[in-house]
Amino acid sequence: MPSQDQPRILVIEDELPIRKFLRILLESQGFVVTETDTAAKGIGHAVAEPPDAVVLDLGLPDRDGLTVIQQLREWSQLPIIVLSARGRESDKVAALDAGADDYLTKPFGAGEFMARLRVALRHSSRVATGIESAPFQVGDLMVDLSRREVTLGGESVRLTPTEYRLLVVLVRNAGKVVTHRQLLKDVWGPDSVSENQYLRVYMGQLRRKLEHDPARPQHLKTEPGVGYRLIDE
Ligand code: CA
């Protein structure tokens, strides 16, 4: 019997080699794994015994993975990491906008997968416990949302109100990819979700203030065709 404190991961994926890879990897890290090969069975498992996170393939035999996300999000905020084929940026964006936490492009490595999963689990426990007030700190960048304070290498950084709002959205989602649409909606409002040039301009400004080499950002990473990610580890 698995003990109560071992986190449980539900894997919904029709490719057997990927399921095997994930099972071996996750079990070696102390997770309990349930695997299933269709959307319908996956939703059934998630309802019967809600896991701590779901790993979801977008290309399933019976239903689009996107509908699985939409169904899960009707009643649950549990972390969802999607797996998708290379070159399907629009699928990833649709999945993230539907409420998935993050994505991995096949083929992916063990380290990359575990990093995404750790971030998603950490984020969900922070949200669940309401502990979002601790300052965000990685490398020499520190963002303290409760004090509205940003420092780089101990030096205070002055941001415009819009730059700060953009950074706040990224900090609240630290480690996770945030889509262009989500950033535009949260910073500029629902009428601006297609104004991608706002983002390019303000992300450039943020990088000039927060990166030692803005051309090779260490904190504010671009996810091509999808959005941006604030690196948190
Ligand atoms: Ca598939």
Side-chain angles (χ1 to χ4, degrees):
M1 275 292 282
S3 76
Q4 285 294 325
D5 53 1
Q6 278 177 299
R8 297 184 320 102
I9 310 295
L10 172 61
V11 176
I12 310 174
E13 161 68 89
D14 59 320
E15 285 175 65
L16 184 59
I18 296 183
R19 285 209 310 275
K20 275 190 172 161
F21 167 74
L22 290 174
R23 174 179 284 280
I24 291 166
L25 172 63
L26 286 165
E27 288 182 348
S28 78
Q29 302 289 315
F31 291 92
V32 176
V33 179
T34 304
E35 46 177 282
T36 172
D37 57 358
T38 67
K41 280 189 266 180
I43 290 169
H45 276 295
V47 171
E49 207 179 349
D52 294 287
V54 173
V55 180
L56 172 69
D57 179 31
L58 287 181
L60 291 166
D62 58 332
R63 234 176 281 175
D64 193 311
L66 196 58
T67 64
V68 178
I69 300 169
Q70 288 159 346
Q71 273 183 265
L72 292 177
R73 280 291 172 261
E74 284 173 10
W75 59 273
S76 172
Q77 285 306 309
L78 61 89
I80 303 172
I81 295 176
V82 299
L83 309 177
S84 84
R86 190 163 296 283
R88 303 293 296 266
E89 265 66 31
S90 59
D91 290 357
K92 295 170 197 163
V93 172
L96 293 165
D97 282 336
D101 290 76
D102 217 321
Y103 69 87
L104 284 155
T105 303
K106 296 176 188 176
F108 52 85
E112 192 186 6
F113 175 82
M114 289 311 303
R116 294 281 190 279
L117 182 64
R118 269 199 307 278
V119 167
L121 288 170
R122 202 157 57 221
H123 184 78
S124 85
S125 79
R126 266 205 312 265
V127 171
T129 52
I131 306 172
E132 288 191 282
S133 53
F136 169 84
Q137 182 139 30
V138 69
D140 56 0
L141 174 64
M142 192 281 298
V143 182
D144 187 336
L145 298 180
S146 60
R147 294 163 182 255
R148 299 181 67 93
E149 194 175 72
V150 181
T151 63
L152 185 67
E155 302 270 315
S156 179
V157 180
R158 293 180 64 90
L159 299 178
T160 69
T162 303
E163 290 165 358
Y164 183 72
R165 280 204 302 276
L166 179 56
L167 183 61
V168 167
V169 179
L170 290 163
V171 167
R172 290 210 172 113
N173 292 283
K176 302 200 312 178
V177 66
V178 189
T179 63
H180 298 133
R181 184 186 178 83
Q182 184 71 49
L183 287 167
L184 285 162
K185 183 160 76 72
D186 288 359
V187 178
W188 284 274
D191 294 337
S192 304
V193 291
S194 49
E195 307 288 346
N196 278 348
Q197 76 277 13
Y198 292 0
L199 266 183
R200 274 195 297 276
V201 168
Y202 278 90
M203 198 58 71
Q205 290 175 199
L206 265 187
R207 280 176 172 154
R208 278 193 292 280
K209 294 183 179 181
L210 302 181
E211 300 282 358
H212 294 289
D213 181 357
R216 269 191 298 245
Q218 300 303 305
H219 300 299
L220 300 160
K221 297 277 191 186
T222 298
E223 296 280 334
V226 177
Y228 296 93
R229 182 190 303 274
L230 176 63
I231 300 299
D232 82 332
E233 58 180 36

